[in-house]
Amino acid sequence: MSDSEPIRDLMEALRQSPDNVVLRAHVGNVLLGRGEFDQAEAVYREGLKLTPASEKLMLGLGQTLMQQGKASAALVLIEDVLKRPGATGQAHMLHARLLLKSGDPSRASVAYQRAIDLDPELEDSDLAEALGVIADDDDFADNPEVDSEGRILMRAESSGDVAPPIEMERPDLGFDDVGGIEGLKEEIRIKLIE
C-alpha cells in the first residue's frame, strides 16, 4: 500500500459523505499533518460552507492558515470562535500560539492559561517557556504562607528553580475608611460576595 492510498480512500469517503463534519475534520487534519496545506484549507473551507458553526473545522482552518504564514487571518477566525459560548481549551491554545506569533506575549499568556484551565492535558512546556509562564504551585496557591503580622508571603518569579518568598502587607483599610463613592463601594461589595 502506498503512502497516498489512505488519503485517496479518505477523499473518496468524503466525496460520498460531504456533510459528515467529523470525517471532513479528520481528512483536513490528515492533510494538515502531511503538510498539504492548500488541500487542507480547501477541505476545511468547503466544510464551513456546509456547517459554518463547526468549531472543529474552524480550528483546523485556523491551524492551516497559521502553518501557511497567514497568522492574521487565522487570528481573526479564532477570535470569532472565542466569542461563542463554550469555546474549548484547544481554541484558547491556538489563540495563544497566534497571539505569540503576532507579537503579543501578554495576551498570549492569558490565552494559554485559559486553555490549560479548561483542559490541563493541553499544557505545553515549550510554549509556556516561550511565554514566560511558570507552573503554579497549587499547594502554595491554596494555602498561602502568612507571617505573624498577617502579611501574605508570595512567591516572586526568578530564574532559579525555587523562587524566594516576598512579603506583601495586608491593608488595614476597610470600606468604611474610604470616603465618598458609595455606589462604587456597594458594587465592589456585591462582586466580592458573589
Side-chain angles (χ1 to χ4, degrees), residues 70-106:
K70 302 174 184 175
S72 297
L75 193 55
V76 169
L77 181 71
I78 297 308
E79 286 179 346
D80 184 48
V81 170
L82 295 175
K83 289 177 187 173
R84 301 170 184 194
T88 63
Q90 292 174 330
H92 288 280
M93 184 62 74
L94 182 54
H95 191 226
R97 291 180 194 287
L98 289 165
L99 288 168
L100 183 60
K101 270 191 180 290
S102 68
D104 193 347
S106 61

Side-chain angles (χ1 to χ4, degrees), residues 10-33:
L10 285 171
M11 293 300 282
E12 181 56 34
L14 190 57
R15 275 189 283 283
Q16 298 295 321
S17 183
D19 296 341
N20 186 331
V21 173
V22 174
L23 176 60
R24 184 168 292 281
H26 178 67
V27 170
N29 292 343
V30 169
L31 291 166
L32 178 62

Side-chain angles (χ1 to χ4, degrees), residues 93 111-124 133:
M93 184 62 74
Y112 175 80
Q113 190 60 52
R114 179 74 176 132
I116 60 173
D117 286 348
L118 290 170
D119 186 352
E121 291 182 19
L122 293 174
E123 195 166 339
D124 180 331
V133 175

Side-chain angles (χ1 to χ4, degrees), residues 128-145:
E129 186 178 328
L131 293 170
V133 175
I134 297 175
D136 288 336
D137 182 346
D138 291 333
D139 185 49
F140 182 79
D142 293 338
N143 303 302
E145 298 173 28

